[in-house]
Amino acid sequence: MPSDMKERIAREFAELARTKSIDKITVKDIVEACHITRQTFYYHFQDLIDVIDWSLRRGMEELVEKRLKMQYREEVME
């Protein structure tokens, strides 16, 4: 379940970033959007930079996995 919660927190952060500048997003904003406690947030992440870092790494891993499954170089390049 922890990775599910991490995904949920990261998804809410991304959603908030659509309407609010990243530097204006607070932990309070995220915990309210996720309906979790601050303790839960800090159990999964050290701070907001950690959320961004985890999200970027996760996205890159998914992208690489997807590309490795492709058969043709042309598909990968697209």
Side-chain angles (χ1 to χ4, degrees):
M1 174 102 168
S3 70
D4 291 342
M5 182 57 68
K6 283 185 130 180
E7 288 175 16
R8 183 173 164 200
I9 291 168
R11 191 172 44 249
E12 285 299 333
F13 179 85
E15 195 62 38
L16 286 167
R18 293 176 205 263
T19 60
K20 199 174 190 180
S21 177
I22 294 175
D23 59 335
K24 300 293 183 193
I25 297 172
T26 64
V27 171
K28 182 179 178 183
D29 294 332
I30 295 173
V31 299
E32 287 177 356
C34 291
H35 305 289
I36 59 173
T37 64
R38 290 179 72 83
Q39 183 178 2
T40 300
F41 175 88
Y42 286 112
Y43 177 80
H44 296 286
F45 294 104
Q46 291 180 355
D47 54 23
L48 294 173
I49 299 299
D50 195 24
V51 176
I52 295 168
D53 182 61
W54 184 87
S55 298
L56 291 173
R57 288 178 190 274
R58 179 77 179 218
M60 288 299 296
E61 288 171 4
E62 290 174 0
L63 185 61
V64 168
E65 283 180 25
K66 184 178 176 182
R67 297 303 182 232
L68 288 174
K69 291 178 183 177
M70 293 181 172
Q71 290 182 332
Y72 303 104
R73 241 187 279 175
E74 293 80 21
E75 285 180 297
V76 174
M77 297 306 285
E78 287 178 13

